[in-house]
Amino acid sequence: MSSSSCLIKKLSHYVELSQHDRDLLQDLEKSSTAVSAGTHLREGGQAYDDLFVLSEGWLYSFTILPDGRRQVLQVFVPGDIVGIYDTPFAHATHDLAAATDAVVCPFPKDGLDPIFSESPALTGLMFTFALIDQAVFLDRLRALGRMDAVTRVGHFLFTVISRLRLTDHDTENGHYFPLTQSDVADATGLTNVSVSKAASVLREKGFAKWSNRRLTILDETRLVEFASFINRYENIDISWFPQPGRLHLGRS
Amino acid sequence: MSSSSCLIKKLSHYVELSQHDRDLLQDLEKSSTAVSAGTHLREGGQAYDDLFVLSEGWLYSFTILPDGRRQVLQVFVPGDIVGIYDTPFAHATHDLAAATDAVVCPFPKDGLDPIFSESPALTGLMFTFALIDQAVFLDRLRALGRMDAVTRVGHFLFTVISRLRLTDHDTENGHYFPLTQSDVADATGLTNVSVSKAASVLREKGFAKWSNRRLTILDETRLVEFASFINRYENIDISWFPQPGRLHLGRS
DNA sequence: CGCCTGGTTGACACGTATCAATAATTGTGG
DNA sequence: CCACAATTATTGATACGTGTCAACCAGGCG
């Protein structure tokens, strides 16, 4: 069942993919490897070999500072392609670790070539998601620069949820959310203690409930307002998008 | 003289451009408009029309928070293409203002089409610079999340200098650096007061001298170490790069 | 059942914000 | 070219939010 691939689900969010597009994507997930929680998958500054599709579980990229503290940069959830943003660099830009047990599908650096050469639609989608991610990073930069602890945590939780919704429909019970409070602290530039206190405030205010690896947004409207959150996955302009016979990244 | 274009200088940094490539780039700067310091060029959330090449002067993108404070997100210097990262969005993602008097060269959204369809080299370069910028944003995220005031300011100053060096060769007198301490404060998530104090520390330590709109790096080795700065413009892997007859983003 | 990881809570320390007064620099009009 | 105004930078006193440290609690797994 190709519809079980989270990558295909994610990329189907904005446009209807052709069967050929689906086949191309399916090819990326031909081989798979299981990794257990805590595995250090890649080290920043070192050579890296394959990219991979994250098929199950969560990963995160991070760096360690000279004093040993950690900054979490990006959280990867099923359907994400990991390592694609390192392509122009000679070495991996960041460390990478598994937040949970996970299944990854490695493919060589040039594994994307068929996609670029055969599918304008997928090429455009890759480009689009890269720029969406960039906007999300800038929103997080804003949050770290100018927001207080409670707002930062609220903003970050929503950032992750908005990404999850591409592949995972919201349920009454909220989402599976396996990050620890220390993980969130390292993503938001806080400490586990502050995150704990921020989480209680969010609960008291009725914005969100987060416990036992489950996160539920209780009052989305007010939380979005509170954290001045912008969902960068919405309001995507499809009109510039490569149509069959238009923009095309391929071999000449 | 096409060699006077900062955009061409910037893009020539990694590969030798053909005359055709230079012509394509030159076309982007056909028309130009002067804007004066402080002009608010674009508002986040509003529709935007043209992209432009920044030909002279400095701009910055920013957002205003609900309490009125400002977060500066990106600094644009001559040679940068402004607005290219908004292409997939229906509205401008951020506000944009002129830090100095500037000259911008507007072109319509589809003005890049000839570049994508006719020059694999330029297409690859655009992609490369987008991912370099992304790495720089993540390094700044790390700095805002986990570094103290002095380190943050040192890191940010170096971030801008490393970009300037693509078009501007270092001189004994350092670089023209027109940002105010309030601008740097809003970029680093600090206040003008903290930036002032951080600047004195950097001067005392002999790392950098910054006054009267000039910035000079005095001890680069030690400053890079101190701020754990990584120059993302270095160590670019050209090998994957579109060769004539290889990877090609064009009209089929 | 008991260990181990993760979460909660409170007391105190520390770095940066805030406020305010002054100095230096840049820009402007006579 | 000078004089004045406006902007920008410096410096010090105090306030406040988050870090740090530490003790305790809860849940999951062997």
Side-chain angles (χ1 to χ4, degrees):
Chain A
M1 289 285 289
S2 55
S3 62
S4 67
S5 159
C6 287
L7 173 58
I8 292 176
K9 268 189 219 157
K10 174 183 172 186
L11 294 182
S12 298
H13 192 259
Y14 299 112
V15 295
E16 182 78 20
L17 297 180
S18 71
Q19 187 57 47
H20 183 56
D21 289 339
R22 289 164 174 269
D23 292 343
L24 285 168
L25 293 172
Q26 205 68 50
D27 283 346
L28 295 179
E29 299 185 60
K30 270 185 299 197
S31 70
S32 68
T33 318
V35 296
S36 54
T39 307
H40 201 156
L41 288 160
R42 183 172 289 172
E43 188 150 357
Q46 303 299 111
Y48 61 102
D49 354 272
D50 289 345
L51 314 187
F52 45 81
V53 176
L54 178 56
S55 160
E56 290 172 36
W58 291 32
L59 312 181
Y60 56 88
S61 67
F62 66 100
T63 63
I64 299 292
L65 280 93
D67 62 5
R69 288 182 308 163
R70 183 178 70 155
Q71 176 66 44
V72 167
L73 299 167
Q74 191 173 6
V75 175
F76 296 96
V77 299
D80 287 334
I81 299 179
V82 180
I84 198 169
Y85 300 147
D86 282 343
T87 38
F89 298 99
H91 308 291
T93 51
H94 304 114
D95 289 40
L96 185 71
T100 67
D101 289 346
V103 175
V104 301
C105 305
F107 61 89
K109 283 189 193 188
D110 57 7
L112 294 173
D113 283 0
I115 285 175
F116 291 149
S117 59
E118 294 173 32
S119 174
L122 292 179
T123 303
L125 279 169
M126 299 281 170
F127 190 63
T128 298
F129 275 103
L131 294 187
I132 290 175
D133 282 340
Q134 194 168 83
V136 169
F137 294 149
L138 287 171
D139 288 343
R140 288 185 55 210
L141 193 74
R142 180 180 106 123
L144 294 214
R146 289 293 184 222
M147 288 178 177
D148 67 19
V150 180
T151 324
R152 254 141 97 168
V153 172
H155 186 275
F156 176 75
L157 295 179
F158 220 109
T159 297
V160 178
I161 292 289
S162 67
R163 163 64 188 87
L164 286 175
R165 285 181 177 167
L166 293 183
T167 48
D168 224 3
H169 289 290
D170 221 344
T171 65
E172 283 298 307
N173 305 322
H175 287 278
Y176 170 65
F177 189 90
L179 302 183
T180 67
Q181 293 191 341
S182 293
D183 293 334
V184 173
D186 288 340
T188 51
L190 299 164
T191 59
N192 58 336
V193 178
S194 290
V195 170
S196 175
K197 287 168 181 166
S200 341
V201 174
L202 292 173
R203 199 180 316 115
E204 282 161 25
K205 288 185 182 259
F207 288 161
K209 192 181 65 177
W210 171 27
S211 60
N212 298 4
R213 305 193 151 204
R214 283 212 90 73
L215 171 61
T216 313
I217 305 297
L218 298 172
D219 189 336
E220 177 157 341
T221 312
R222 281 176 58 234
L223 178 55
V224 166
E225 166 77 15
F226 174 73
S228 58
F229 179 82
I230 300 173
N231 189 338
R232 298 298 185 180
Y233 296 98
E234 297 174 349
N235 296 118
I236 297 300
D237 177 15
I238 289 291
S239 68
W240 74 278
F241 220 74
Q243 310 299 327
R246 266 197 76 219
L247 217 51
H248 185 74
L249 176 62
R251 289 170 190 282
S252 59
Chain B
M1 287 287 287
S2 56
S3 61
S4 67
S5 158
C6 287
L7 174 58
I8 292 176
K9 270 188 219 157
K10 174 183 172 185
L11 294 182
S12 298
H13 192 260
Y14 298 112
V15 295
E16 183 79 20
L17 297 180
S18 71
Q19 188 57 47
H20 183 57
D21 290 339
R22 289 162 175 271
D23 293 343
L24 286 168
L25 293 172
Q26 204 69 49
D27 283 346
L28 296 179
E29 299 186 59
K30 270 184 300 196
S31 70
S32 68
T33 317
V35 296
S36 54
T39 307
H40 201 156
L41 289 161
R42 184 172 288 171
E43 187 150 358
Q46 303 299 111
Y48 60 102
D49 354 273
D50 289 345
L51 315 186
F52 45 81
V53 176
L54 178 55
S55 161
E56 289 172 37
W58 291 32
L59 313 181
Y60 57 87
S61 66
F62 66 100
T63 63
I64 300 292
L65 280 93
D67 63 5
R69 288 183 306 164
R70 183 178 70 155
Q71 176 67 43
V72 167
L73 298 167
Q74 192 173 5
V75 175
F76 296 96
V77 299
D80 287 335
I81 298 180
V82 181
I84 198 169
Y85 301 148
D86 282 342
T87 39
F89 298 99
H91 308 291
T93 51
H94 304 114
D95 288 40
L96 184 71
T100 67
D101 290 345
V103 176
V104 301
C105 304
F107 61 88
K109 282 188 194 188
D110 57 7
L112 294 173
D113 283 1
I115 285 176
F116 291 150
S117 60
E118 294 173 32
S119 173
L122 291 179
T123 303
L125 279 169
M126 299 280 169
F127 190 64
T128 299
F129 275 103
L131 294 186
I132 290 174
D133 282 341
Q134 194 167 84
V136 169
F137 294 149
L138 286 171
D139 288 342
R140 289 185 53 209
L141 194 74
R142 179 179 106 123
L144 294 214
R146 289 292 183 222
M147 288 178 177
D148 68 18
V150 180
T151 325
R152 253 143 95 168
V153 172
H155 186 274
F156 176 75
L157 295 179
F158 220 108
T159 297
V160 178
I161 291 289
S162 66
R163 163 63 188 87
L164 286 176
R165 285 181 177 167
L166 293 183
T167 49
D168 224 0
H169 289 291
D170 221 343
T171 66
E172 284 298 308
N173 305 322
H175 288 278
Y176 169 64
F177 190 90
L179 301 182
T180 66
Q181 293 191 344
S182 292
D183 294 334
V184 172
D186 288 340
T188 51
L190 299 165
T191 59
N192 58 336
V193 177
S194 290
V195 170
S196 175
K197 286 168 181 165
S200 343
V201 174
L202 291 173
R203 198 179 317 117
E204 282 162 24
K205 288 187 182 255
F207 289 161
K209 193 180 65 175
W210 171 28
S211 59
N212 301 8
R213 306 192 153 202
R214 282 211 92 72
L215 172 61
T216 313
I217 305 298
L218 298 171
D219 189 336
E220 176 155 342
T221 312
R222 282 177 55 236
L223 179 54
V224 166
E225 166 77 15
F226 174 73
S228 59
F229 179 83
I230 300 173
N231 189 339
R232 298 297 185 181
Y233 295 97
E234 297 173 349
N235 296 117
I236 297 300
D237 177 15
I238 289 290
S239 69
W240 74 278
F241 220 74
Q243 311 298 329
R246 266 198 77 219
L247 216 52
H248 185 74
L249 176 61
R251 289 171 188 283
S252 59

